[in-house]
Amino acid sequence: MIIKKLEITNFRSYYGYNSLDLTDGLNLIIGANGDGKTTIFDALAWLFNTKQVVMDERLISKKREEELSTSESDDVRVALYYEHEGQDKTLEKMFRFTKSSDGTVTTQNYSFVLREGNGIERTEVSGVNIDHDFPVELRHYTMFRGESDLDVFKESNALGILIKTFSDVKDFDAYFKFMEFAKSCAESARDSAQRKDKKNSDKVRGLKQIIEREDAILSDINREIEDKTDEVTNFKALLDNIEQNREASEQLVDVNRRIANLTKDRDETASHIHEDYTINLLDDMWILMGFTNIAADFTKKVNDADLKRREEEKAYLIEAGEKKALKKLKFTPLPVNIPGPQTMKEMLHDEVCKVCGRPAPKHSEPWEFMLHKLQEYEDAIKNRKDKEDDSVPPLYKNNYIKELMGRATTLDNNLHDINVLRQRIKEKIALNNRLHNDIRKIEENLEREYENKKRILAQTDGLTEEQLQARYQDISSWTNQQRNAEDRVKTLKVQREKHREKLDDAQNQLSQLAVGTSAEIYTKIWNIIRQIADAFKSAKDKNKYDLLKAIEDKANYYLEQLNINDFKGTVRIIEKANGQGEVRLVNNDGATIYSPNTALKTTYLMSIIFAISCISSERKNTEYPLIFDAPTSSFTDAKDTEFFNVISKLNKQVIIVTKSFLKDVGNGNIVLDCDRVEAVQGTVYRIEKKKPFDDKKLGTIQTIITKIK
């Protein structure tokens, strides 16, 4: 969208018909205070208002109103001629005003139209269609009234609008909805199939209860995290407001730096504390501390049980018909299946006796002994199959004794590690206790620094002792509540991770139960859909990150240009936990610069606007103008010149209404600084009140427009 011409008729100080022809580069409209600068911005804002019908008498030129005769009428009209996507268009808004016999004015015949088309064929539609060419969300980043309006993120939903407008994240919404629907369908199909599995029905029911419970807990935790994050944001805003409104001092800068360093030290120290003692008891075998005597008793009991079992098996075999063979034995034999053939093969392969735990190198005497026993076993099995028609069923169907013997062997092998557990546990607990002591000391220092900061912020000139005390108490309360909320958020995030692990574990167990059943295919589909949904989320997050990073990079480029021979800092766009955005200026060490001078603040906010404008041109494949009303009122002449030199090279249509380029020559005479105007590349207009006028009579005020270059 390139604005070619603006027409203003009888709109406040613009008496009669007035027009400005605009170029696609820099357009300056220069006027002193009271000459009608802001009125041009207001005329455009009124024209672009598609939400309300406004026929306010205050919009009418007072001069034109007073010269009307009874029953005579005229029009208030603002029209914009522009080019958009190769088409010439006209946006026009107007209404009629009529003077009554009693001198009052009535308004009627409101009209708001958009004419479009080239040549003779032109169509006329409602003016609200301008929202298609110049969307409302874009105007938030293109029209600015004064320096106080330059912070594009001051509105709570500004960051969301920016991301939705200029990134592709909105394209993911439809996919997310579909994936949630598909995941729900797959989950229902899986659950339906698993309900038919009578064997695992109790386990499925139990896991579903765990999943539902963990989902509910996670939902509550996420809700509380949002609430507490909002609290942090609100209290931080209150404190930031005090801090930013206070003149920057070295004391405040130093205390902020110390607080940041101490907080970093505390968090880093806390990250080294590992107090998962419940997990240590089982996974790290802490429960076996002092287990030596118990291990010996365990081994003895297992050996006794093994001996008793073999004796019972001997008696059983005698009764089963093998009395003759067994009576020749002078001792209780080891059955051929203990250890089993697979275990024997493993021992031969690993070259170790897993009964006694001793090494058995290949071809050594122990190794050859095990090989011989394995061959005897295989021959015995072969001979038994060949000679016996009827096999005797085993006395014991399960061989748990063998498993217990293996456990006993493992305990014997690991007995040394078990014996030193006590020292390891002492060392770990001592380390955690020492880290806790370090954290307590850091927090004591933090408390002192926060107290220092509260006192610095509370000390404001002009406050009585009572007011100072009240201010200090407010700051103390806000600081404590902010820190409590921050600590709660940290705790909740740790809890959230644990419950997510429980939820994932239950989901995985549920999937495992589906293996080999009719629910398996539905479980696979559900997992695939979940993975795709996660991939979409990652892509959406990356898309948002890339957009903000691109804006930051361009903003810092423009900040460099706007402050060539001055301090700049670095622009950062911060996304808060509640989704709001914030533009910050930071030092090279990452510390926020809370109180930049007004000119620096204006330039870093302006650099964000320029960056977003460039992004909009690149990603929307169309141009939109930048429209400013008095954006540099705090600048010096030198800063002004620097600013306009940069903005004239933007390769973008920019319309600036400003009082810059004027100089006071005495006796209240304000004239144009022609040398500075000549140095600017672009179209320049001068607006001023037509003389003479009565400074006590509004009906004598008329703004006239003169084209300078």
Side-chain angles (χ1 to χ4, degrees), residues 27-72:
N27 298 271
L28 289 180
I29 304 170
I30 304 170
N33 291 339
D35 279 347
K37 300 190 307 299
T38 300
T39 301
I40 289 180
F41 190 91
D42 290 342
L44 287 169
W46 179 68
L47 179 63
F48 289 135
N49 183 354
T50 58
K51 305 300 182 185
Q52 299 169 301
V53 175
V54 180
M55 295 190 292
D56 196 323
E57 184 184 348
R58 290 173 294 183
L59 300 180
I60 302 170
S61 165
K62 196 66 177 175
K63 181 175 182 178
R64 180 61 182 134
E65 177 187 325
E66 290 187 358
E67 70 181 20
L68 286 180
S69 302
T70 300
S71 300
E72 188 178 0

Side-chain angles (χ1 to χ4, degrees), residues 366-381:
W367 190 88
E368 292 289 348
F369 175 79
M370 290 190 291
L371 178 63
H372 177 68
K373 288 296 181 184
L374 177 62
Q375 291 171 346
E376 278 187 351
Y377 167 79
E378 291 174 342
D379 291 343
I381 294 296

Side-chain angles (χ1 to χ4, degrees), residues 349-479:
H349 178 271
D350 296 341
E351 299 182 22
V352 63
C353 176
K354 296 188 178 180
V355 175
C356 64
R358 288 180 296 178
K362 192 170 184 178
H363 300 306
S364 65
E365 184 178 344
W367 190 88
E368 292 289 348
F369 175 79
M370 290 190 291
L371 178 63
H372 177 68
K373 288 296 181 184
L374 177 62
Q375 291 171 346
E376 278 187 351
Y377 167 79
E378 291 174 342
D379 291 343
I381 294 296
K382 184 175 183 298
N383 292 334
R384 178 173 293 179
K385 287 181 179 178
D386 292 342
K387 296 177 181 180
E388 295 182 1
D389 296 327
D390 299 320
S391 60
V392 178
L395 177 61
Y396 296 104
K397 295 182 179 179
N398 297 311
N399 195 4
Y400 295 120
I401 294 295
K402 176 185 174 183
E403 184 179 345
L404 290 172
M405 289 291 288
R407 297 281 178 96
T409 302
T410 301
L411 282 175
D412 287 339
N413 291 340
N414 294 326
L415 204 56
H416 173 73
D417 293 335
I418 294 171
N419 289 335
V420 300
L421 267 179
R422 184 183 299 275
Q423 184 61 31
R424 291 178 185 170
I425 293 170
K426 282 183 178 180
E427 290 173 357
K428 181 165 185 177
I429 293 176
L431 173 62
N432 286 337
N433 289 338
R434 181 173 61 77
L435 293 173
H436 277 298
N437 288 331
D438 291 345
I439 289 175
R440 274 193 291 271
K441 292 177 183 177
I442 293 172
E443 287 181 339
E444 288 172 3
N445 291 330
L446 261 177
E447 286 297 329
R448 283 193 288 271
E449 295 301 339
Y450 273 114
E451 287 299 316
N452 290 336
K453 182 173 181 177
K454 293 172 192 176
R455 292 189 180 92
I456 293 170
L457 292 176
Q459 292 170 2
T460 304
D461 294 338
L463 292 184
T464 65
E465 187 173 345
E466 291 78 9
Q467 290 171 326
L468 189 64
Q469 182 61 30
R471 185 181 181 89
Y472 174 78
Q473 289 176 351
D474 285 342
I475 292 171
S476 296
S477 174
W478 297 339
T479 302

Side-chain angles (χ1 to χ4, degrees), residues 131-147:
D131 288 346
H132 296 297
D133 293 347
F134 194 20
V136 175
E137 57 268 20
L138 276 178
R139 291 175 223 159
H140 180 77
Y141 303 102
T142 57
M143 297 183 67
F144 306 94
R145 185 196 301 272
E147 287 179 303

Side-chain angles (χ1 to χ4, degrees), residues 168-435:
D168 298 324
V169 296
K170 61 181 180 298
D171 297 336
F172 290 89
D173 292 341
Y175 293 108
F176 282 138
K177 289 180 181 178
F178 173 75
M179 296 310 297
E180 285 302 315
F181 171 74
K183 190 164 66 172
S184 176
C185 291
E187 188 171 347
S188 297
R190 178 198 66 187
D191 294 346
S192 177
Q194 284 189 316
R195 280 193 290 270
K196 300 174 183 178
D197 181 8
K198 303 301 182 183
K199 177 183 175 183
N200 295 315
S201 59
D202 290 340
K203 292 181 180 179
V204 170
R205 191 180 306 109
L207 290 170
K208 287 294 291 182
Q209 289 174 351
I210 293 173
I211 290 169
E212 290 172 3
R213 183 180 70 243
E214 295 303 323
D215 267 332
I217 292 173
L218 283 170
S219 179
D220 291 340
I221 289 175
N222 287 329
R223 192 178 304 109
E224 188 177 355
I225 286 176
E226 289 180 5
D227 292 341
K228 291 299 177 184
T229 302
D230 286 342
E231 283 186 33
V232 172
T233 302
N234 293 336
F235 289 120
K236 186 177 184 303
L238 290 169
L239 293 166
D240 284 351
N241 186 53
I242 294 174
E243 190 161 343
Q244 292 176 18
N245 289 335
R246 175 184 168 81
E247 184 177 346
S249 69
E250 290 184 6
Q251 281 184 313
L252 189 57
V253 171
D254 288 343
V255 78
N256 279 334
R257 185 177 293 112
R258 289 196 295 273
I259 286 173
N261 290 335
L262 286 168
T263 302
K264 181 180 177 182
D265 290 345
R266 181 192 62 187
D267 293 343
E268 186 174 342
T269 303
S271 70
H272 295 299
I273 296 176
H274 301 291
E275 294 180 304
D276 297 327
Y277 295 139
T278 303
I279 295 174
N280 295 141
L281 282 172
L282 299 177
D283 290 6
D284 298 331
M285 299 178 70
W286 282 19
I287 198 171
L288 298 180
M289 184 183 70
F291 194 67
T292 307
N293 294 333
I294 298 174
D297 289 344
F298 174 76
T299 302
K300 183 177 183 305
K301 289 182 183 298
V302 170
N303 288 331
D304 291 345
D306 179 52
L307 178 62
K308 184 178 180 181
R309 170 177 172 145
R310 285 185 279 119
E311 288 175 345
E312 290 178 353
E313 285 179 334
K314 173 184 174 182
Y316 171 73
L317 291 175
I318 291 173
E319 292 176 2
E322 297 188 11
K323 298 177 182 178
K324 186 177 179 178
L326 290 172
K327 284 179 180 177
K328 294 180 181 180
L329 297 175
K330 303 297 184 180
F331 59 91
T332 303
L334 280 171
V336 295
N337 61 333
I338 297 180
Q342 293 302 322
T343 303
M344 295 288 288
K345 290 177 181 178
E346 286 180 12
M347 292 192 297
L348 289 168
H349 178 271
D350 296 341
E351 299 182 22
V352 63
C353 176
K354 296 188 178 180
V355 175
C356 64
R358 288 180 296 178
K362 192 170 184 178
H363 300 306
S364 65
E365 184 178 344
W367 190 88
E368 292 289 348
F369 175 79
M370 290 190 291
L371 178 63
H372 177 68
K373 288 296 181 184
L374 177 62
Q375 291 171 346
E376 278 187 351
Y377 167 79
E378 291 174 342
D379 291 343
I381 294 296
K382 184 175 183 298
N383 292 334
R384 178 173 293 179
K385 287 181 179 178
D386 292 342
K387 296 177 181 180
E388 295 182 1
D389 296 327
D390 299 320
S391 60
V392 178
L395 177 61
Y396 296 104
K397 295 182 179 179
N398 297 311
N399 195 4
Y400 295 120
I401 294 295
K402 176 185 174 183
E403 184 179 345
L404 290 172
M405 289 291 288
R407 297 281 178 96
T409 302
T410 301
L411 282 175
D412 287 339
N413 291 340
N414 294 326
L415 204 56
H416 173 73
D417 293 335
I418 294 171
N419 289 335
V420 300
L421 267 179
R422 184 183 299 275
Q423 184 61 31
R424 291 178 185 170
I425 293 170
K426 282 183 178 180
E427 290 173 357
K428 181 165 185 177
I429 293 176
L431 173 62
N432 286 337
N433 289 338
R434 181 173 61 77
L435 293 173

